[in-house]
């Protein structure tokens, strides 16, 4: 199949390109990128005038729920949702049932992806067996089977000696370790951020310090081992400050923030909508300002969804008993455009880098860039079009989004993965 995309504005953070160029795709690759391309052999011609063309987005943090909770999400449904949101590569977290802590399960994921996914899905392996934090998983065999990174996401590896060993192995294997920073002895029982709103609402709180204690220890172990460490879903001002200082000292550290932690504060919990219940919890306005500042200064490298599908039966439980998590693949780009680009926190190119090139670099994959010879993963977006987030439009099997009813800017019109159109908007 060959595709010619005409008249669009390319925004490519890797080459710093922001120019009107035509794109010719043949097979899986971008073959030509220049002005006024005339390719008679093109089978499909897409008119992208007035649109932008950006690299296929890369999500470092997706919960796909297969195996175990196929009622909530599958590799197939996650790939449809990802394609609708402009993602062409996502990393699936290992907190499935059973967890991805052995090579057979990694092979299972690869096989399911090959059979059922429209986009690229790369498995993250567990740091510890059964995510119990007690014994390290067979990290070498997991890497051989094809994991892209390691994480016990959902849980912090509490034992420092085990975390140290895991970091040493990860360094040897040259693969990033992703830490969910939360000291469970401080957060246990909490359902929202500890502060003014938890007092008003009478809910048990999770203090920011539960995250910051974990971040501080992990930074110390990063220094001790020299391993690359990526901190998932940073949510507080103090965490940003700790990471800022660590970066000044040249630690091999990177981190991410989610769109929901940028767009929503703990005040939203007053609606009692369980789609405001996430882990880490939504924080204060001050924290949100610090996260935005962190993004500006490149203290925060990546925006990742933490797409966490949950069934309606579970999300409809009373607030304290509902599970933590919201879906994010189909709204991430537009929420970022609204909360960061329209408000002038980041330029469009900077925001795109945090959603594509930066995560690709941390993962060590050749993605997140539109250049001749590269794999043709790209997205055509109409920035002028606003759209309403409607529950019935989600392609994800789960509907637990806090953004239902919002009108958001930026409509994905085409998502192209490995040279194939995997999503076409109406
Ligand atoms: O909100 C969350 N949901 N945070 C996590 O760390 C885990 C995730 C899940 O798996 O539901
Ligand atoms: Zn997590």
């Amino acid at each position: 199949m060959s595709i010619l995309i005409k008249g669009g504005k390319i925004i490519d953070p890797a080459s710093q390109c922001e120019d009107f160029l035509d794109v010719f795709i043949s097979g899986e690759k971008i073959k030509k990128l220049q002005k006024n391309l005339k390719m008679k052999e093109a089978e499909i011609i897409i008119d992208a005038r007035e649109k932008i063309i950006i690299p296929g987005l890369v999500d470092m943090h997706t919960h796909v729920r297969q195996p175990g909770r196929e009622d909530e999400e599958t590799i197939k449904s996650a790939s449809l949702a990802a394609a609708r949101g402009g993602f062409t590569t996502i990393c699936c977290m290992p907190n499935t049932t059973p967890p991805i802590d052995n090579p057979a399960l990694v092979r299972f994921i690869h096989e399911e992806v090959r059979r059922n996914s429209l986009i690229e899905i790369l498995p993250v392996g567990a740091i510890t067996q059964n995510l119990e934090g007690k014994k390290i998983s067979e990290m070498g065999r997991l890497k051989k089977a094809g994991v892209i990174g390691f994480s016990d996401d959902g849980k912090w590896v509490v034992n420092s000696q085990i975390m140290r060993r895991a970091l040493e192995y990860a360094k040897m294997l040259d693969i990033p370790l992703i830490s969910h920073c939360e000291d469970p002895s401080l957060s246990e029982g909490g359902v929202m951020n500890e502060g003014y709103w938890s007092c008003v609402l009478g809910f048990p709180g999770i203090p920011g310090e539960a995250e910051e204690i974990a971040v501080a220890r992990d930074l110390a172990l990063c220094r001790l081992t020299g391993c690359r460490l990526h901190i998932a879903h940073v949510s507080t001002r103090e965490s940003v400050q700790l990471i800022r200082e660590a970066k000044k000292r040249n630690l091999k550290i990177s981190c991410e923030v989610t769109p929901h932690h940028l767009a929503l504060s703990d005040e939203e919990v007053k609606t009692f909508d369980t789609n405001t219940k996430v882990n880490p919890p939504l924080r204060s306005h001050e924290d949100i300002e610090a996260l935005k500042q962190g993004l500006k200064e490149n203290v925060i490298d990546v925006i990742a969804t933490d797409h966490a599908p949950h069934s309606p039966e579970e999300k409809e439980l009373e607030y304290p008993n509902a599970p933590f998590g919201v879906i994010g693949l189909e709204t991430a780009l537009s929420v970022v455009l609204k909360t960061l680009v329209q408000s002038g926190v980041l330029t469009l190119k900077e925001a795109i880098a945090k959603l594509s090139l930066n995560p690709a670099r941390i993962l060590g994959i050749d993605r997140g860039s539109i250049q001749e010879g590269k794999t043709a993963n790209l997205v055509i977006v109409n920035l002028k079009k606003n759209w309403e987030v409607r529950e019935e439009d989600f392609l994800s099997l789960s509907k637990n989004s806090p953004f239902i009813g919002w009108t958001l800017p930026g409509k994905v019109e085409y998502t192209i993965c490995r040279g194939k159109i995997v999503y076409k908007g109406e």
Side-chain angles (χ1 to χ4, degrees):
M1 174 131 50
S2 58
I3 306 172
L4 178 61
I5 308 170
K6 287 198 68 74
K9 183 178 188 182
I10 306 273
I11 300 190
D12 180 49
S15 60
Q16 292 292 324
C17 168
E18 255 182 283
D19 200 2
F20 293 90
L21 298 172
D22 295 345
V23 189
F24 179 64
I25 297 167
S26 173
E28 294 194 355
K29 300 282 178 193
I30 297 171
K31 287 282 156 65
K32 280 190 195 308
L33 195 61
Q34 61 189 63
K35 284 193 192 290
N36 300 318
L37 260 180
K38 289 189 185 66
M39 305 296 298
K40 285 199 192 87
E41 69 260 46
E43 291 160 82
I44 298 173
I45 297 178
I46 299 174
D47 178 1
R49 279 173 300 173
E50 312 274 304
K51 317 280 163 66
I52 57 165
I53 305 173
I54 60 175
L57 306 182
V58 177
D59 190 17
M60 288 186 74
H61 195 146
T62 318
H63 296 275
V64 165
R65 306 292 189 224
Q66 193 178 356
R69 287 305 301 265
E70 290 83 354
D71 60 317
E72 295 182 331
E73 201 78 287
T74 62
I75 281 166
K76 188 174 184 176
S77 66
S79 88
L80 288 164
R84 178 168 180 245
F87 288 91
T88 51
T89 308
I90 64 177
C91 299
C92 60
M93 283 295 170
N95 65 338
T96 46
T97 323
I100 309 172
D101 67 355
N102 64 77
L105 264 175
V106 177
R107 286 193 290 271
F108 166 79
I109 301 281
H110 281 307
E111 186 53 27
E112 279 296 310
V113 169
R114 195 184 61 74
R115 262 190 278 185
N116 291 318
S117 179
L118 296 169
I119 56 137
E120 301 172 331
I121 301 185
L122 309 171
V124 175
I127 299 172
T128 67
Q129 292 176 29
N130 209 27
L131 306 172
E132 282 170 350
K134 292 189 183 131
K135 278 192 200 144
I136 290 183
S137 62
E138 292 184 88
M139 292 171 69
R141 290 181 65 217
L142 284 168
K143 160 98 196 271
K144 252 199 195 133
V147 299
I148 187 84
F150 292 102
S151 183
D152 273 4
D153 185 61
K155 288 178 177 172
W156 189 48
V157 178
V158 173
N159 183 303
S160 303
Q161 175 71 336
I162 290 174
M163 187 64 168
R164 175 192 184 166
R165 293 286 172 244
L167 283 160
E168 285 169 346
Y169 277 116
K171 183 184 180 190
M172 203 167 69
L173 298 168
D174 192 25
I175 194 168
L177 205 134
I178 303 167
S179 183
H180 168 115
C181 286
E182 174 187 4
D183 181 341
S185 62
L186 256 188
S187 64
E188 212 185 328
V191 303
M192 67 174 292
N193 183 42
E194 182 172 312
Y196 174 80
W197 284 104
S198 66
C199 273
V200 170
L201 298 170
F203 280 148
I206 302 172
E209 283 77 1
E211 176 174 312
E212 292 141 13
I213 287 167
V215 169
R217 188 215 60 182
D218 282 355
L219 292 174
L221 291 179
C222 176
R223 186 174 68 234
L224 178 64
T225 59
C227 176
R228 285 197 280 148
L229 176 68
H230 179 81
I231 298 184
H233 42 54
V234 168
S235 72
T236 79
R237 185 180 64 178
E238 284 304 316
S239 295
V240 174
Q241 182 56 19
L242 287 166
I243 295 163
R244 182 183 285 118
E245 281 160 20
K247 283 196 166 183
K248 274 192 200 139
R249 297 166 72 182
N250 293 322
L251 294 193
K252 290 183 191 159
I253 183 91
S254 58
C255 70
E256 73 194 26
V257 65
T258 75
H260 50 269
H261 286 106
L262 295 164
L264 303 166
S265 75
D266 59 351
E267 185 178 346
E268 309 299 325
V269 180
K270 72 185 182 193
T271 62
F272 298 107
D273 177 357
T274 57
N275 291 328
T276 62
K277 186 173 175 185
V278 285
N279 187 17
L282 301 175
R283 303 286 189 185
S284 69
H285 291 286
E286 258 187 13
D287 289 310
I288 293 174
E289 285 315 304
L291 294 171
K292 289 180 177 172
Q293 187 59 30
L295 281 164
K296 251 184 184 217
E297 291 172 30
N298 279 324
V299 172
I300 302 176
D301 313 83
V302 167
I303 301 166
T305 68
D306 196 2
H307 177 86
H310 287 290
S311 70
E313 300 81 61
E314 288 172 22
K315 270 299 199 186
E316 279 163 17
L317 290 170
E318 55 279 29
Y319 204 92
N321 295 324
F324 292 97
V326 294
I327 56 170
L329 286 170
E330 295 169 74
T331 49
L333 173 62
S334 293
V335 171
V336 166
L337 291 172
K338 184 181 169 77
T339 56
L340 299 178
V341 181
Q342 288 190 340
S343 61
V345 175
L346 297 180
T347 65
L348 182 56
K349 188 154 36 101
E350 287 167 342
I352 298 305
K354 292 187 197 283
L355 284 161
S356 57
L357 181 66
N358 296 0
R361 282 188 173 153
I362 291 164
L363 296 164
I365 54 174
D366 187 15
R367 292 289 182 268
S369 173
I370 302 176
Q371 283 168 52
E372 282 183 8
K374 297 274 187 199
T375 298
N377 286 4
L378 46 89
V379 191
I380 304 175
V381 183
N382 186 346
L383 284 182
K384 292 182 183 136
K385 203 164 177 180
N386 293 327
W387 60 286
E388 193 193 330
V389 183
R390 298 193 312 178
E391 182 170 337
E392 58 270 31
D393 295 337
F394 281 122
L395 298 178
S396 169
L397 286 182
S398 291
K399 316 294 171 193
N400 53 311
S401 166
F403 300 114
I404 291 168
W406 286 39
T407 297
L408 295 174
K411 191 85 187 73
V412 171
E413 302 223 328
Y414 287 90
T415 301
I416 296 174
C417 184
R418 294 190 180 163
K420 277 201 195 119
I421 297 170
V422 292
Y423 175 79
K424 186 175 178 315
E426 56 305 320

